[in-house]
């Protein structure tokens, strides 16, 4: 699965980004289980991400930006993404989705080792979930058998912001949701993968200042849009 490191750069791309890597439709993968939903813990400028190729450490971010609503709402964003993916899979594609509690309580899920790849960037998992962004085929098959599903869904997201009018000092800013999803099939290997992007409405910027609370309040709608885009892009024609 393409990792957060790639997405940190992809987040700087326009919101129409969308691609799929398989001819398999999402409907063919039913029933599925969502097993990983992870995202970054802040809302950096997309241009800064592209230039640096990463994010500064979580500890440093907290020390200098601890009261920032963009950071304080990071858990809410990934939780909403998990809910949106489940709803889109079920309501749009008609895919049967395993209950969250069923997944989290599975012995195989609890025993598997979490990914350590994200240790270099600041990330957060949806409530109760663990980071299995890099899941081997053998482990995936074992988990599928235990859950009674034919596919596993792994999702990673980078939340950022970009200047959509003027400059960072005067103009407008909008939030960006860059979502990458992989669906592992019955053999435990990648059956579907794709990246999509969505944006929030614009927020005015004056003298480098903008309403951060207003910006974060718009992320849920963009998150829902990204989840729908991924599902629709991978449905049968």
């Amino acid at each position: 699965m393409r990792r957060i490191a790639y997405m940190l750069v992809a987040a700087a791309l326009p919101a129409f980004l969308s691609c799929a890597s398989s001819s398999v439709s999402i409907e063919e993968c039913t029933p599925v289980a969502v097993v990983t939903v992870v995202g970054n813990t802040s809302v950096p400028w997309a241009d800064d991400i592209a230039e640096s190729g990463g994010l500064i450490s979580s500890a440093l971010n907290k020390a200098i930006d601890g009261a920032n609503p963009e950071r304080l709402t990071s858990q809410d964003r990934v939780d909403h993404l998990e809910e949106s993916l489940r709803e889109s899979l079920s309501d749009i594609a008609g895919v049967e989705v395993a209950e969250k509690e069923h997944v989290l309580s599975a012995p195989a899920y609890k025993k598997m080792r979490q990914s350590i790849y994200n240790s270099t960037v600041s990330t957060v998992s949806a409530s109760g979930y663990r980071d299995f962004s890099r899941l081997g085929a053998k482990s995936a098959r074992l988990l599928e058998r235990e859950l009674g599903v034919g596919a596993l869904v792994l999702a990673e997201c980078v939340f950022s912001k970009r200047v959509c009018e003027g400059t960072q000092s005067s103009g407008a800013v909008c939030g960006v949701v860059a979502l990458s999803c992989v669906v592992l099939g019955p053999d435990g290997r990648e059956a579907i993968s794709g990246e999509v992007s969505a944006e929030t409405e614009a927020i005015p910027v004056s003298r480098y200042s903008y309403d951060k609370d207003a910006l974060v309040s718009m992320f849920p709608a963009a998150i829902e849009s990204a989840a729908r885009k991924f599902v629709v892009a991978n449905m049968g024609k």
Side-chain angles (χ1 to χ4, degrees), residues 184-200:
L184 303 180
D187 61 354
R189 303 184 185 279
E190 183 178 299
I192 294 173
S193 70
E195 296 84 34
V196 296
S197 183
E199 290 188 353
T200 70

Side-chain angles (χ1 to χ4, degrees), residues 127-138:
S127 296
Y129 285 86
R130 305 174 70 196
D131 184 355
F132 297 131
S133 301
R134 290 198 168 210
L135 188 57
K138 182 177 180 180

Side-chain angles (χ1 to χ4, degrees), residues 2 6 8 14 23 36 62 72 105 114 116-117 119 123 138 146 151 163-165 194 198 203 227 234:
R2 289 177 181 168
Y6 164 81
L8 292 174
S23 59
T36 286
K62 288 180 180 179
L72 295 176
S105 63
Q114 295 191 89
I116 60 172
Y117 193 89
S119 61
T123 59
K138 182 177 180 180
E146 190 167 293
V163 174
C164 49
E165 181 182 331
I203 297 291
N234 290 285

Side-chain angles (χ1 to χ4, degrees), residues 110-128:
K110 294 179 178 180
K111 291 178 181 178
M112 284 193 302
R113 298 177 61 182
Q114 295 191 89
S115 171
I116 60 172
Y117 193 89
N118 278 341
S119 61
T120 58
V121 295
S122 181
T123 59
V124 61
S125 296
S127 296

